[in-house]
Amino acid sequence: MTPPPEPPREGRRQFSDNPLTWAKDWVRSSPGTHIWLLVIGITSLVIAAASDGLGEFLIHRTSSNIHELNEHPLPSLLISGFWIERPSSFLLYVVMFELLHANVERWTGTTRWLLTVGGAHIAATLASQELVLLAIEGHRLPPSMTHVVDIGVSYGLAAAAGVLTYRLRPPWRYCYLAGVLIFFGIPLLTGATFTDFGHAIALIMGFAAWPLTPAAAAEPPPGDGDGPAETAAAPPQERPEPPRRAEGHAAGPESPQAE
């Protein structure tokens, strides 16, 4: 008798052998990632088709720099995550989205993925622009930096890279973690810009999103399993009850039967 097929591992989905069906299933399993990619593709086409003056205006108008944050705080925070400065790099972002965002979204779910990367994008943007403002006030940067171009999706990618650490199993997890720390750490230690600080903040927020991952939910709470805690809490064994005497006999020592 043929044994039943092994069930899929938790957190994974079975995909069809048909490439077209496989691609559809992959997109459906991470809808947020691919909607985001679609919007970035549209905005990249707009920048590529626009004149130099119009393209420059759109990039500055959708930036989340100090000027735009003061004038239009919420729109600039949200819209800046749907544009990239160089449309020619769109295919690179497609690869990064599929490797990072799609895998994290499939693993954690769309809502938790969106909370993690969206929160990291907002926090890293605000923190990095605060550093720019402090540098301007300390005369370490020119006042024109209030209009610096600050658009892109790299903060969200950094957060997704941090979350993905928990998806991998040892020893691959440690190799991946070392690579991520080197990739984001070298620019931070060698003449860091405000963007490098933003990447570091987003990466830390990705690491801090451990409680939102299925791995955290599957981890048994402290005290579960065999251990001293359960041994100490075990109730003492009851002493066996002595056998009862037959009914009609006295409780004292037995006397010889009368003849």
Side-chain angles (χ1 to χ4, degrees):
M1 180 177 180
T2 305
E6 183 180 356
R9 287 172 47 189
E10 184 178 357
R12 293 189 177 184
R13 301 184 184 182
Q14 289 182 324
F15 291 98
S16 172
D17 294 334
N18 186 307
L20 183 59
T21 305
W22 184 93
K24 290 180 179 179
D25 291 341
W26 176 263
V27 172
R28 289 174 181 172
S29 69
S30 49
T33 296
H34 294 92
I35 291 173
W36 195 357
L37 265 179
L38 177 62
V39 176
I40 294 174
I42 294 173
T43 57
S44 297
L45 288 175
V46 171
I47 293 294
S51 62
D52 292 341
L54 179 58
E56 193 73 14
F57 169 79
L58 290 174
I59 288 176
H60 281 85
R61 183 64 179 80
T62 56
S63 290
S64 52
N65 51 39
I66 296 174
H67 174 75
E68 293 298 330
L69 286 173
N70 287 331
E71 296 292 329
H72 317 282
L74 291 179
S76 63
L77 278 173
L78 298 177
I79 296 175
S80 62
F82 294 97
W83 296 76
I84 56 177
E85 191 171 359
R86 292 187 299 273
S88 59
S89 60
F90 174 71
L91 291 180
L92 174 62
Y93 283 108
V94 171
V95 174
M96 299 302 294
F97 267 58
E98 297 296 346
L99 291 176
L100 298 175
H101 281 310
N103 280 291
V104 172
E105 184 180 1
R106 289 182 61 234
W107 184 45
T108 63
T110 300
T111 301
R112 295 184 179 187
W113 162 79
L114 185 59
L115 286 174
T116 302
V117 300
H121 170 77
I122 293 174
T125 299
L126 294 176
S128 60
Q129 288 303 313
E130 182 66 22
L131 289 175
V132 173
L133 180 60
L134 292 175
I136 292 173
E137 293 175 348
H139 305 288
R140 295 188 299 275
L141 287 176
S144 60
M145 287 293 290
T146 57
H147 295 272
V148 68
V149 174
D150 186 20
I151 61 174
V153 297
S154 58
Y155 294 156
L157 284 170
V163 178
L164 197 59
T165 304
Y166 306 118
R167 183 71 177 95
L168 304 176
R169 295 183 176 182
W172 305 111
R173 174 183 297 175
Y174 308 121
C175 297
Y176 172 83
L177 177 60
V180 167
L181 293 176
I182 291 173
F183 181 83
F184 289 103
I186 290 179
L188 192 63
L189 299 175
T190 57
T193 64
F194 72 92
T195 304
D196 297 325
F197 280 106
H199 289 154
I201 293 169
L203 180 64
I204 292 173
M205 291 193 66
F207 290 147
W210 156 259
L212 298 178
T213 64
E219 187 176 77
D224 281 6
D226 297 334
E230 287 199 353
T231 304
Q237 295 183 354
E238 297 182 359
R239 297 179 59 184
E241 185 179 355
R244 298 182 180 180
R245 296 179 179 275
E247 294 183 2
H249 288 274
E254 293 184 1
S255 55
Q257 295 182 0
E259 298 182 357

